[in-house]
Amino acid sequence: MRKTHKSLFISGLAVASYVSSASTVADELADLSLEELSGVPIVESAKKSQNLFDTPASAFVFDEEAIQNLPVDSIPEMLRYAPGVHMTRASNGIWGLAVRGMNSRFLGRTQFTVDDQNLYGTVFAGLYGAQHDLFLDDVASVEVVYGPGGGLWGVNANNGQVNVIMKSAFETEGNVLRTQIGTEQNSVAGRVGWAIGEKSAIRVFAKATHRKASESDLFEDDWDIYRTGVQFDTRPSTSDLFTISAEAYKSDLGFANNSADLSTGNYGLSVGEELHQGFNAQTKWTHQTDSESGFTVRSWLGYTELRAAYGNYNYSIWGLESRMRKKISDKQRLTITTTASVDQAELLDSVNIIFQPDYDEHSYNANAGAEYTYSLIPDKREISAGLSSQYDSYSDEVEILPSFRVMERLNEKTRIWFSYSKSTRSVPNGLNDFSYFVYYGLPMETVQIPTPLGNIPVSTQIVAAIEGGNMQNEQQNSYEIGFRHQFSDTSNLTLNTFYYVYRDLLGATDAPIEPVLTVPNPYLLTPSYVENSAEGEAYGFELSWDAALSKKFEVKLNYAFLQDSFQAILSGVENPAYILFQLGDVKNLDNNAPEHSASAWLLTNLSEEWQFDLGLRATSSYTNPEFKQPSIFQSDARLSWNPNDTLRLSLVGRNLLDPRTDESHLRHNIGFGTEQARELSVELRYEF
């Protein structure tokens, strides 16, 4: 299945790896740091830093003020307040992340990165809680970029990109202690940062969190997470920044799932633990010649291992990326990105899943992308054309992904843009190389199966996914129109509209029921064959308004609308029963995210020492044949006392409007969902 026609792609990659010659730093930049050159807030929608207001892409940014003051204690909870982002917490440590629909813990279509390092799991295309349990005091901003970002984000950023930007070590000199004592969660975290001479700085942090079991009558999903890391930054010159960073984490999560044994026909509830641990490390060299030109070279190394009933694996990756941003003239700019990585996944059989024999394989991935921007009318109208080429050895496919964008500056306070992008999502290697996956076993009314030896009673049904052949990468075309208007220096309005077309979505189709009678507990097997079996479309919009109504009162309001539909594309099958395969989720793809969602954040400075933050969030109910997710209307609040610049004491309440919030209908049957309880906590932050 794996071919070797890589030479053409590698040749193109070499051509795209253009490295600009070093140039003299302008005199006016001599006293500016790289952080000051980048501007705040920024997004990296085209792999280059850019002011949010002038970005020709839909984006939403949580700045440092939002990160510190929103009444949340994690990045996933923070993302609930971004328009068009759907977060579900099925139980402790189990999150579903969706931008513009298609929510799932596994087989997600949204990419999550920390300082450009991708945490999207290529084994099962999932995001684990321990990976994004970051120390929030060291986070500079959290960016949500909607859509595939012009193809330059690379594979798997189909519906959106969440990028967490960490502060440099220069910005975190000093010591911080942070503790939380609450009804549901207790944590302690600390950071020590110091300068090394005049050109270098380093920080070290550690964090430990214990979360109590949430509401469940079947099992306890208590969760312990430990994380530690270090970052070193040095500036050899005013135009260069060199960074070395590393983190290690460990997660122990209570877990339960339905299990079944095809060799015996036995089934039952399996209660145990999901153990997840690993480390990430990267080096990055950034050279800035001026505010619009420079390059970055980054290398990274990662390792993670998972031990759970639904899957065991060991996964390691190494990669190298180069980025060049060049101002060719007053009217022309060029951005070039090249990436190459190799990973090794050792997939191990478990209670629920059996992989192909002796599976232990390397995968090679490469990406080359370029975007050319031309100012048709300086400071008024510009166009961008991009082209990205992606190769992965699992599918052995070379994907050519074009993009096109137009930005119009109607006046100093108004921007409109149009964009088109094509993107792809690679087949997760855990899905590409499994033999079968058992969803669950369940009792049924006894039936008599006739055989030559007489009738055999059967009272068990087992549902299992079976690898259905050569799977191909998914395809997507995205269209977007956006509008931004600045009413004043303290009031902004953004409207994003989009239309997506999906092709070759991975799914599972039901096959005829097969009686299995030669085992101790005979059963009826319901097989679902996994293949590219669906297509669909989605459209909607996001509306965001923020304003400082006075020196003491600020408000941010967001609303999003989503409509999508999907259908089977199986040939030769009349009225096929299409079921999306979400790695254990036997759910229809339609209606798996809310049609309406809204959020509000109100910040009130009661006095010089007291501050009150109130968050409101709501999602409409949605129903498909498998489940009904109730509507949610919840509130989070924080009351803070700041007697001086170094001490803050806060009373935080979450899920205040409903004592138990049910988000357990996340489309996955790998484990049981639970209900999240109302919680209160006292948080202390001390800087010294």
Side-chain angles (χ1 to χ4, degrees), residues 45-48 50 56-57 149-152 324-326 328 332-337 368-374 382-388 402-406 419-421:
S45 62
K47 288 288 186 181
K48 60 180 182 290
Q50 199 167 23
L152 292 180
M324 186 274 294
R325 305 164 300 281
K326 180 67 175 178
I328 302 173
Q332 301 178 81
R333 299 189 302 276
L334 180 66
T335 301
I336 294 177
T337 302
E371 184 174 74
Y372 172 77
T373 301
Y374 183 79
E382 67 180 28
I383 61 172
S384 299
L387 191 66
S388 179
S403 64
F404 177 78
R405 299 191 282 190
V406 179
S419 69
Y420 161 76
S421 295

Side-chain angles (χ1 to χ4, degrees), residues 349-378:
D349 296 345
S350 63
V351 174
N352 287 67
I353 190 168
I354 302 296
F355 292 99
Q356 295 175 6
D358 301 323
Y359 177 77
D360 184 358
E361 188 170 345
H362 288 82
S363 172
Y364 302 94
N365 307 275
N367 173 271
E371 184 174 74
Y372 172 77
T373 301
Y374 183 79
S375 296
L376 295 173
I377 304 176

Side-chain angles (χ1 to χ4, degrees), residues 186-323:
N186 300 317
S187 67
V188 59
R191 177 245 293 159
V192 178
W194 65 95
I196 303 176
E198 297 182 354
K199 296 184 177 181
S200 304
I202 191 172
R203 70 164 176 258
V204 179
F205 82 92
K207 181 179 180 181
T209 303
H210 171 74
R211 188 166 180 86
K212 301 176 183 178
S214 50
E215 302 291 337
S216 173
D217 297 328
L218 296 174
F219 71 104
E220 292 190 355
D221 63 341
D222 52 316
W223 187 26
D224 292 300
I225 323 116
Y226 308 95
R227 192 178 198 91
T228 186
V230 59
Q231 178 164 325
F232 170 79
D233 289 289
T234 186
R235 288 197 191 97
S237 69
T238 56
S239 59
D240 292 281
L241 177 64
F242 185 75
T243 299
I244 301 175
S245 61
E247 289 188 343
Y249 59 88
K250 181 178 181 180
S251 170
D252 185 348
L253 172 65
F255 199 79
N257 67 291
N258 279 316
S259 61
D261 189 339
L262 297 185
S263 64
T264 64
N266 297 328
Y267 68 93
L269 179 67
S270 177
V271 178
E273 295 175 315
E274 177 187 283
L275 301 175
H276 183 223
Q277 60 186 4
F279 71 87
N280 297 299
Q282 72 170 341
T283 62
K284 184 188 295 186
W285 172 36
T286 299
H287 177 78
Q288 194 87 24
T289 56
D290 57 44
S291 60
E292 295 188 70
S293 299
F295 64 84
T296 299
V297 179
R298 182 176 70 93
S299 66
W300 71 94
L301 175 68
Y303 174 80
T304 183
E305 60 182 43
L306 176 75
R307 296 294 181 265
Y310 62 83
N312 297 329
Y313 67 80
N314 302 323
Y315 177 78
S316 58
I317 185 172
W318 176 84
L320 179 66
E321 178 185 75
S322 65
R323 251 186 284 162

Side-chain angles (χ1 to χ4, degrees), residues 439 463 508-512 526-529 570 573 577-579 586:
Y439 291 138
V463 181
T509 53
D510 283 349
T526 303
S528 293
Y529 289 94
L570 299 178
V573 179
Y578 170 71
I579 298 176
V586 188

Side-chain angles (χ1 to χ4, degrees), residues 6-294:
K6 306 173 190 173
S7 57
L8 179 62
F9 178 80
I10 294 175
S11 299
L13 186 67
V15 173
S17 299
Y18 171 81
V19 180
S20 62
S21 59
S23 60
T24 304
V25 180
D27 294 339
E28 62 268 23
L29 298 176
D31 296 327
L32 293 181
S33 70
L34 295 175
E35 294 84 356
E36 292 170 323
L37 284 172
S38 63
V40 178
I42 62 167
V43 295
E44 296 189 358
S45 62
K47 288 288 186 181
K48 60 180 182 290
S49 298
Q50 199 167 23
N51 186 281
L52 175 62
F53 191 68
D54 288 314
T55 300
S58 300
F60 188 88
V61 176
F62 295 95
D63 58 15
E64 188 173 0
E65 180 186 46
I67 293 168
Q68 289 297 324
N69 295 324
L70 266 171
V72 299
D73 53 24
S74 68
I75 289 175
E77 293 290 353
M78 183 186 307
L79 290 172
R80 293 185 189 273
Y81 290 92
V85 178
H86 182 220
M87 298 298 309
T88 55
R89 188 173 196 158
S91 68
N92 282 342
I94 297 180
W95 292 91
L97 166 62
V99 175
R100 295 176 172 174
M102 303 185 77
N103 200 340
S104 177
R105 183 191 183 190
F106 300 111
L107 291 186
R109 273 84 178 174
T110 299
Q111 192 163 268
F112 191 103
T113 60
V114 176
D115 269 352
D116 297 326
Q117 187 163 340
N118 193 358
L119 300 186
Y120 176 95
T122 59
V123 176
F124 293 128
L127 184 66
Y128 292 86
Q131 292 175 300
H132 49 66
D133 181 50
L134 305 177
F135 185 48
L136 292 181
D137 280 77
D138 292 343
V139 176
S141 65
V142 178
E143 309 166 350
V144 180
V145 182
Y146 300 84
L152 292 180
W153 286 115
V155 72
N156 301 323
N158 293 48
N159 283 13
Q161 167 83 12
V162 176
N163 190 26
V164 180
I165 305 297
M166 305 300 293
K167 298 176 182 177
S168 73
F170 298 104
E171 300 171 274
T172 55
E173 294 179 16
N175 308 317
V176 173
L177 176 65
R178 194 166 189 154
T179 62
Q180 176 189 22
I181 301 175
T183 57
E184 301 298 316
Q185 181 168 299
N186 300 317
S187 67
V188 59
R191 177 245 293 159
V192 178
W194 65 95
I196 303 176
E198 297 182 354
K199 296 184 177 181
S200 304
I202 191 172
R203 70 164 176 258
V204 179
F205 82 92
K207 181 179 180 181
T209 303
H210 171 74
R211 188 166 180 86
K212 301 176 183 178
S214 50
E215 302 291 337
S216 173
D217 297 328
L218 296 174
F219 71 104
E220 292 190 355
D221 63 341
D222 52 316
W223 187 26
D224 292 300
I225 323 116
Y226 308 95
R227 192 178 198 91
T228 186
V230 59
Q231 178 164 325
F232 170 79
D233 289 289
T234 186
R235 288 197 191 97
S237 69
T238 56
S239 59
D240 292 281
L241 177 64
F242 185 75
T243 299
I244 301 175
S245 61
E247 289 188 343
Y249 59 88
K250 181 178 181 180
S251 170
D252 185 348
L253 172 65
F255 199 79
N257 67 291
N258 279 316
S259 61
D261 189 339
L262 297 185
S263 64
T264 64
N266 297 328
Y267 68 93
L269 179 67
S270 177
V271 178
E273 295 175 315
E274 177 187 283
L275 301 175
H276 183 223
Q277 60 186 4
F279 71 87
N280 297 299
Q282 72 170 341
T283 62
K284 184 188 295 186
W285 172 36
T286 299
H287 177 78
Q288 194 87 24
T289 56
D290 57 44
S291 60
E292 295 188 70
S293 299

Side-chain angles (χ1 to χ4, degrees), residues 60 80-84 543-545 556-560 597-601:
F60 188 88
R80 293 185 189 273
Y81 290 92
L543 182 65
S544 180
W545 176 68
K556 299 178 185 290
L557 303 176
N558 302 304
Y559 170 77
S597 60
S599 65
W601 174 34

